[in-house]
Amino acid sequence: MLIDHRTYTVKPGTMQAHLDIYEQYGLATQTKHLGQPLAYMFTESGEMNTIVHIWVYENAADREKRRAAMQADPDWHVYLKKNREAGYLVSQVTKLMTPAKFAKMSR
């Protein structure tokens, strides 16, 4: 199993607008190709203005195949354009992680 843990930081005051753009233009296309995320969360305390989402793949080849299909989808590019035009995103950190053998995850 391969976990894709992503942390995005948005400009202060833009969280809901950023999430609205994703929900309207990105969610359906992303879940069509990647499946449902294990988690999609935003901060209530701590490092504010951050969104974390976690995607689960069988392995690196599965991730590569699904993400390539998403990148080839014109609807995904509509979302990327809307997101870019809004200018809310400040940074992104992506961590590919493997669960420890004693901490099995089910999906």
Side-chain angles (χ1 to χ4, degrees):
M1 180 179 290
L2 183 67
I3 307 298
D4 186 342
H5 180 285
R6 293 171 173 252
T7 304
Y8 294 85
T9 303
V10 297
K11 292 177 182 175
T14 67
M15 179 66 72
Q16 192 56 57
H18 178 82
L19 291 171
D20 289 346
I21 289 171
Y22 175 71
E23 187 174 14
Q24 184 175 358
Y25 297 101
L27 176 62
T29 304
Q30 192 166 39
T31 56
K32 177 173 92 174
H33 296 289
L34 306 185
Q36 292 294 317
L38 179 65
Y40 207 108
M41 309 166 284
F42 56 91
T43 51
E44 287 287 328
S45 65
E47 188 177 342
M48 299 306 292
N49 306 305
T50 60
I51 301 165
V52 171
H53 42 102
I54 302 172
W55 303 89
V56 180
Y57 302 96
E58 292 176 28
N59 51 41
D62 177 45
R63 178 181 180 272
E64 183 177 344
K65 177 182 171 185
R66 289 202 250 165
R67 290 193 59 79
M70 183 177 70
Q71 289 297 331
D73 190 321
D75 289 338
W76 184 244
H77 290 274
V78 169
Y79 163 67
L80 294 176
K81 182 176 186 278
K82 296 283 187 185
N83 192 33
R84 187 174 50 251
E85 288 171 350
Y88 302 142
L89 188 62
V90 173
S91 67
Q92 172 186 341
V93 175
T94 302
K95 297 177 185 176
L96 298 180
M97 307 176 87
T98 304
K101 66 180 179 181
F102 55 81
K104 298 285 184 196
M105 294 181 69
S106 59
R107 183 71 159 117

